[in-house]
Amino acid sequence: MSVAIVTGASRGLGRALAGELAGRGWDLVLSARGAAALEEAAAGPARAAGVRVVAVAGDVSSPDHRAALVAAARGLGGLDLLVNNAGVLGAEPLVPLAAQPQAGLREAFEVNVLGPLGLVQEGLPLLRASAVGAVLNISSDAAVVPYATWGAYGATKAAADLMSAVLAVEEPELRVWWADPGSMRTRMMAAAEPGEDLAGLPAPEEVAPVLLRLLERGLPSGRYTAEGLAAASAGAPAGSSAGGGVRR
């Protein structure tokens, strides 16, 4: 049985990815800060699919929490996929760099960059031992496009993108994907730009199966966008992309 760790799994894209993986028969270790919301998410479609689900509440910036996640995966038999989805904006709503709180930027780097790196480091022995070991780091168009007010968040995602690219070089036996899901109808997007109309944006449940085409097709390490993956299904090349999509 395949085992995945999914962070930020209590809502939004993380929850949608967990549900999709469960529907494909994956056992799951789910992480989020809020224990009640995480338990509710774990008790939903994931457990209904008949797979094993371990919910571990905590913050990915905590070394103890990261160790607990990997220990839980080990208890399920190993680790085949690590999904680094948890993230924070650094300010809600977003503000120009001139007004960016230092504390918020520090938290964003802790959660969006150092947390995923620490989890990769903790999980590498299990990922290396898997015949299909893979890491999926959720990126953003803000990592490559200079949108006003998205500078702090975008800086963390740009750092995570480069970290992902280096990991792909250093761990050639693993598949490492950094993927931009595009703008979605999520609480994070609403918090980032409260005045924006999100009605026309896709729900995370629409985007999650598109991102999991990376897994289904065993695509090579690289940067991808949901937009590009969807276009590939319509006959366009499925190669990795340096841009495209919109902000997460």
Side-chain angles (χ1 to χ4, degrees):
M1 187 71 74
S2 299
V3 179
I5 292 174
V6 182
T7 67
S10 64
R11 56 186 171 89
L13 182 61
R15 181 168 180 163
L17 287 168
E20 287 291 329
L21 287 167
R24 291 162 168 76
W26 284 67
D27 290 330
L28 301 171
V29 177
L30 305 182
S31 163
R33 288 176 170 178
L38 181 61
E39 281 295 337
E40 191 273 330
R47 286 184 179 149
V51 298
R52 296 176 295 172
V53 183
V54 180
V56 185
D59 194 317
V60 294
S61 65
S62 163
D64 289 344
H65 179 60
R66 297 194 297 263
L69 292 176
V70 174
R74 186 179 294 109
L76 292 178
L79 179 60
D80 304 290
L81 173 65
L82 169 59
V83 181
N84 281 312
N85 167 74
V88 298
L89 292 166
E92 295 184 9
L94 295 176
V95 295
L97 287 176
Q100 173 65 43
Q102 290 286 304
L105 179 59
R106 188 174 297 109
E107 181 193 21
F109 270 97
E110 287 281 352
V111 174
N112 300 355
V113 182
L114 298 181
L117 175 58
L119 198 45
V120 165
Q121 292 171 332
E122 191 77 32
L124 263 178
L126 295 182
L127 289 167
R128 288 167 174 161
S130 169
V132 292
V135 177
L136 171 56
N137 291 327
I138 300 302
S139 183
S140 168
D141 199 35
V144 295
V145 179
Y147 296 114
T149 74
W150 286 82
Y153 177 78
T156 68
K157 289 300 183 179
D161 276 10
L162 182 57
M163 182 179 70
S164 302
V166 172
L167 181 65
V169 172
E170 294 176 343
E171 300 289 336
E173 298 304 312
L174 301 181
R175 284 168 296 162
V176 182
W177 306 302
W178 48 113
D180 167 21
S183 291
M184 295 174 289
R185 199 164 61 248
T186 63
R187 189 183 304 177
M188 174 180 269
M189 191 66 183
E193 298 182 336
E196 291 294 309
D197 182 4
L198 308 185
L201 297 180
E205 292 75 16
E206 299 173 72
V207 177
V210 176
L211 292 182
L212 288 184
R213 291 172 189 170
L214 294 164
L215 189 68
E216 294 167 351
R217 299 173 184 175
L219 294 179
S221 295
R223 190 178 199 279
Y224 293 84
T225 68
E227 181 182 25
L229 290 166
S233 292
S240 60
S241 169
V246 238
R247 302 174 296 273
R248 174 170 175 247

